[in-house]
Amino acid sequence: HQPTMDEFSDYCGESKSLLLRLNDYLQSKLGLVAELRFPYGNSYGWGVKYAKKSRHICDVFAENGSFTVMLRLTNAQCEQLYPDLTDYAKECIDRKYPCGEGGWLNCRILTEQQLCDATKMLALKAARGA
């Protein structure tokens, strides 16, 4: 069954407050629209798609006790962000799934620092529209 946004965020457990802050940042500061959906089958489950107009920016997937931000960045965007990121975020970039001139990143968010890194990535993605 399709969860409500409250059920979706509750599933994140201790990371719920980080998810709610990310959601507020994406909608209020970046002007993105959120859509709860089941995009990739059982491998990912329910997620929230964030888009700017018709342009996909990221998906956020709830996990038991955390959540994951999935987004695609170009190699140039990764290079631009790399010096300002924590070691964990650099690992996410290093492990990206190649796609065209960049790749897909999956960043699990459990801490304030990881949330900060994710907002840097998403701000660049939303601003450039890549």
Side-chain angles (χ1 to χ4, degrees):
H1 93 285
Q2 181 172 345
T4 65
M5 283 300 287
D6 285 337
E7 290 170 329
F8 184 85
S9 60
D10 286 346
Y11 188 67
C12 297
E14 293 180 15
S15 297
K16 177 181 178 176
S17 64
L18 296 172
L19 175 67
L20 294 176
R21 287 181 34 220
L22 178 65
N23 181 65
D24 183 58
Y25 173 78
L26 294 174
Q27 292 190 59
S28 299
K29 301 280 196 241
L30 299 184
L32 305 183
V33 175
E35 174 192 352
L36 189 61
R37 64 190 192 134
F38 194 77
Y40 308 115
N42 290 332
S43 296
Y44 287 87
W46 288 96
V48 179
K49 173 187 173 184
Y50 291 90
K52 191 170 192 175
K53 298 185 180 175
S54 63
R55 204 173 28 156
H56 179 262
I57 302 299
C58 72
D59 283 295
V60 175
F61 296 99
E63 297 177 15
N64 188 4
S66 69
F67 62 95
T68 294
V69 176
M70 185 175 82
L71 73 154
R72 184 183 174 281
L73 293 176
T74 66
N75 291 330
Q77 288 171 323
C78 290
E79 289 172 17
Q80 181 180 344
L81 288 163
Y82 207 85
D84 297 325
L85 299 175
T86 63
D87 288 343
Y88 173 75
K90 289 176 183 177
E91 287 176 30
C92 291
I93 289 174
D94 293 342
R95 292 187 322 243
K96 71 182 179 286
Y97 181 82
C99 179
E101 293 296 318
W104 287 96
L105 285 70
N106 287 291
C107 302
R108 194 167 190 223
I109 309 299
L110 293 164
T111 69
E112 187 75 33
Q113 283 184 318
Q114 292 167 345
L115 179 63
C116 182
D117 284 338
T119 58
K120 289 176 188 177
M121 293 177 192
L122 292 164
L124 182 61
K125 170 83 177 183
R128 297 246 174 123

